[in-house]
Amino acid sequence: DSGVTQTPKHLITATGQRVTLRCSPRSGDLSVYWYQQSLDQGLQFLIQYYNGEERAKGNILERFSAQQFPDLHSELNLSSLELGDSALYFCASSVGRAPTSDLFFGSGTQLSVL
Amino acid sequence: AQSVTQLGSHVSVSEGALVLLRCNYSSSVPPYLFWYVQYPNQGLQLLLKYTSAATLVKGINGFEAEFKKSETSFHLTKPSAHMSDAAEYFCAVSDYNNDMRFGAGTRLTVKP
């Protein structure tokens, strides 16, 4: 158990809908990262937050947004969903914001867009 | 932007044989390099990382990797494969901007 909690584990929805994925980092970790894993794109970095502020941005679509709350949990919002958004979404956390910080991954949320 | 290429999407070895998973990186600045392992239905777990200290890095579960700047490589090895090593392995590179890029992954199968 990495200590990172992601909910829900599975999510099935329809095209055009909006969903929210939730992540609780390990106790004491200030950084949260979001990744998307799909068969055709592999593991893609989406975004990182450190202590409530956006720290780094990767291949995140404009239809997607995220935030980190004062209690350090994070939410990833996906809107106007398309079939191609079906993927496994991972959250990871680390103590610091440095690129050498160890990342601890949650078990992921499997999103299926029908 | 930095990137990594993992050679071989599938590698199969016999139990007790050498494991060699290949990773080459591309980076315009000194890179930070990582190997992660993903077991079925689980998230990724850090095996080891290179952060510009010793070029030979030892990780968990008997794995190690050597940073070779001249070859832009960071191959992962283990002298003797165990059945429990069967998983997907990801090489990753990061720079000071914290944008970590993962390779496509190599699925390791261990035959009895």
Side-chain angles (χ1 to χ4, degrees):
Chain A
D1 183 7
S2 67
V4 178
T5 303
Q6 288 188 248
T7 57
K9 290 190 183 302
H10 301 276
L11 198 49
I12 302 174
T13 188
T15 55
Q17 295 298 304
R18 172 189 169 96
V19 297
T20 298
L21 312 184
R22 182 186 170 99
C23 170
S24 294
R26 289 189 325 154
S27 176
D29 284 359
L30 299 178
S31 279
V32 170
Y33 308 73
W34 286 99
Y35 288 85
Q36 178 194 60
Q37 186 178 35
S38 61
L39 286 176
D40 55 342
Q41 296 288 328
L43 198 59
Q44 300 282 323
F45 167 67
L46 296 179
I47 198 164
Q48 180 206 1
Y49 281 84
Y50 176 78
N51 204 20
E53 294 190 3
E54 184 181 304
R55 171 74 178 159
K57 214 167 189 176
N59 302 322
I60 188 166
L61 300 172
E62 286 191 10
R63 299 183 286 107
F64 297 180
S65 65
Q67 55 183 326
Q68 186 179 27
F69 295 86
D71 67 352
L72 301 177
H73 91 271
S74 178
E75 292 182 356
L76 178 66
N77 299 296
L78 315 176
S79 61
S80 303
L81 285 168
E82 301 174 0
L83 295 178
D85 298 327
S86 295
L88 188 54
Y89 291 83
F90 283 111
C91 168
S93 72
S94 68
V95 170
R97 56 187 174 185
T100 57
S101 298
D102 293 358
L103 298 189
F104 294 86
F105 283 77
S107 297
T109 293
Q110 180 68 58
L111 174 65
S112 299
V113 182
L114 306 177
Chain B
Q2 71 277 17
S3 65
V4 290
T5 301
Q6 291 184 241
L7 301 176
S9 58
H10 291 87
V11 170
S12 180
V13 300
S14 297
E15 192 173 18
L18 171 72
V19 175
L20 171 60
L21 305 183
R22 300 177 188 273
C23 173
N24 287 89
Y25 71 89
S26 172
S27 178
S28 58
V29 297
Y32 304 114
L33 294 161
F34 309 78
W35 275 100
Y36 282 84
V37 60
Q38 185 178 27
Y39 298 102
N41 301 314
Q42 294 186 28
L44 280 71
Q45 179 184 0
L46 179 67
L47 272 178
L48 49 81
K49 64 181 179 182
Y50 167 75
T51 59
S52 74
T55 56
L56 181 62
V57 182
K58 293 187 183 299
I60 62 172
N61 301 336
F63 285 94
E64 63 182 37
E66 185 172 9
F67 172 71
K68 292 187 177 181
K69 185 177 179 180
S70 61
E71 299 178 7
T72 61
S73 69
F74 190 58
H75 301 332
L76 181 70
T77 60
K78 182 174 180 177
S80 177
H82 192 272
M83 297 296 291
S84 61
D85 294 327
E88 186 140 22
Y89 292 79
F90 293 90
C91 180
V93 62
S94 182
D95 64 13
Y96 52 85
N97 286 322
N98 249 9
D99 182 356
M100 183 176 285
R101 302 294 176 114
F102 285 83
T106 297
R107 184 167 299 279
L108 175 67
T109 301
V110 182
K111 299 175 292 185

